[in-house]
Amino acid sequence: MGQAVVVGAGVGGLAAAGALARAGWRVTLIEQADRLRTDPAALLIWPNGLRALRSLGLGDGLAAIGTPVPPGGLRRADGSWLVQPGVAAADRQIPVVVHHEDLHDVLIAKLTDRVEIRTGITVKSGRGDNHDRPSVTDGRTTWDADLIVAADGTSSTLRRIVAPEAGVASSGYAAWRAVIPWYRAPQLGGDVVFGGETMGSGYRFFAASLGDRGSAGGSTRGGIYWQATVAGAARPESAATQLNLLRRWFERWPSPVSELLAATEAGDVVQHDVREVTPSPLRVGVPSGTGGIVLLGDAAHGMAHHLTQGACLAFEDAAILASLTKETLPGQGLRASVSAYSAARASRGAEVARQSKRVGALLADRGRVATRARDAAFGLLQPRVLDKARASAANWFPPK
């Protein structure tokens, strides 16, 4: 098999590096941070992401760490129900919630000795043309390979080689995530339902349970996961100040929102300045030399996380890349695989981005009068649009 360089050791980069190595590729995994690590929060994985992980041989590990999220209903910020808990449309998609560190451990465990890990390296540029092997460099050292996988996030350095027309812009939202470990989690009333969302004008709050209370013992990896989305830019203040702002913004919201924020400590909170790749790239792979360069994950299709599909799309990318490059030798066959990957993933990313923008338009802050008018139709419109968008995003299956 050939040689690959994967730039970025997030969940998508780890999944791709492991898949290529298990297929016989020699892989160099380059990470900017000084070690492989992840944040202490959690994330949702929808059915399409689960299928992708299973196709990559990661299903067993995921089954041990994922907690299904039941239909928890949909509420307005005043506590009134738009969709009652437990009521699910026929096509309602059910995700699982996993602790980010648990998922990270599963992905790390699947790396083989064919993966050389290089940390503390910032890739500054790359090269791809029709004659030489593609390469990347940090300004001092150059790595060339048959296949370069750019999994370096929304602000990808290598995207300008593949999709120079695509830039990065603010999504208009910031997001915060946290896991409250069970030993600090509040004791909530029996009428509190997890897995549901509460929505207001420009604000959104979601909470889910990571296992059952006490199931993780003293581990910080079990607990209650929450995510808050707020219209506006990321906050520059300290984590403690950001947490105080969240408590103030959501202080009158129905249970368990205020209780969860009260039990959260500043060290639990992870903020995201949610940015998007725009316009959607016309291609996410370019043939070069003996193979080519491909974009993966947020480097290819970073978007507002209204559908929380970022990790899932990265796993889809890794699954398609693994399928197309399996038993493919460097040369014309690999160049063709890069082109096939680009055609499949560019259109897929653009479609999910369109669905995400549609949901975002419904959540936008419109002012009091417009919000009341929207809420009059919210009970019929919002759940249908949200379910349709989620069903469309999750309607993906790996190649057989």
Side-chain angles (χ1 to χ4, degrees), residues 15 20 28-30 57 138 144 190 216 248 279 348-349 368:
L20 290 170
T28 300
L29 177 61
I30 298 176
D138 65 349
D144 60 61
R248 188 173 71 198
R348 168 68 172 158
R368 289 186 178 181

Side-chain angles (χ1 to χ4, degrees), residues 6-18 29-33 35-39 43 100 103-104 107-108 111 150-153 296-298 311 314-315 318:
V6 178
V7 181
V11 292
L14 288 172
L29 177 61
I30 298 176
E31 167 57 29
Q32 182 176 5
R35 59 189 175 92
L36 301 188
R37 57 186 169 185
T38 189
D39 64 54
L43 72 163
H100 219 154
L103 179 62
H104 190 259
L107 294 170
I108 291 289
L111 299 180
D152 50 346
L296 185 144
D298 285 346
F315 296 143

Side-chain angles (χ1 to χ4, degrees), residues 301-363:
H301 23 246
M303 65 187 70
H305 69 295
H306 302 306
L307 297 177
T308 55
Q309 279 284 339
C312 297
L313 288 174
F315 296 143
E316 288 183 23
D317 291 342
I320 291 294
L321 185 64
S323 174
L324 289 171
T325 58
K326 186 177 181 180
E327 300 179 359
T328 301
L329 297 176
Q332 189 59 38
L334 184 56
R335 289 170 59 89
S337 293
V338 168
S339 295
Y341 172 89
S342 179
R345 300 312 298 164
S347 58
R348 168 68 172 158
E351 173 57 26
V352 177
R354 281 193 293 270
Q355 295 291 346
S356 181
K357 288 178 183 292
R358 189 180 182 197
V359 172
L362 287 175
L363 299 175

Side-chain angles (χ1 to χ4, degrees), residues 164-208:
E165 77 283 356
V168 180
S170 171
S171 70
Y173 289 87
W176 290 262
R177 299 181 298 126
V179 171
I180 308 170
W182 282 125
Y183 70 87
R184 278 198 281 110
Q187 294 283 352
L188 301 168
D191 58 338
V192 172
V193 179
F194 288 112
E197 293 180 86
T198 307
M199 297 183 178
S201 182
Y203 294 81
R204 186 176 182 181
F205 195 95
F206 168 85

Side-chain angles (χ1 to χ4, degrees), residues 5-81:
V5 169
V6 178
V7 181
V11 292
L14 288 172
L20 290 170
R22 293 191 297 276
W25 286 72
R26 299 187 309 279
V27 180
T28 300
L29 177 61
I30 298 176
E31 167 57 29
Q32 182 176 5
D34 59 358
R35 59 189 175 92
L36 301 188
R37 57 186 169 185
T38 189
D39 64 54
L43 72 163
L44 295 178
I45 304 181
W46 293 87
N48 54 308
L50 297 175
R51 297 183 197 109
L53 287 171
R54 293 189 189 105
S55 76
L56 291 168
L58 300 168
D60 291 342
L62 186 66
I65 62 174
T67 303
V69 179
L74 184 64
R75 293 185 298 179
R76 297 183 179 93
D78 63 6
S80 59
W81 289 101

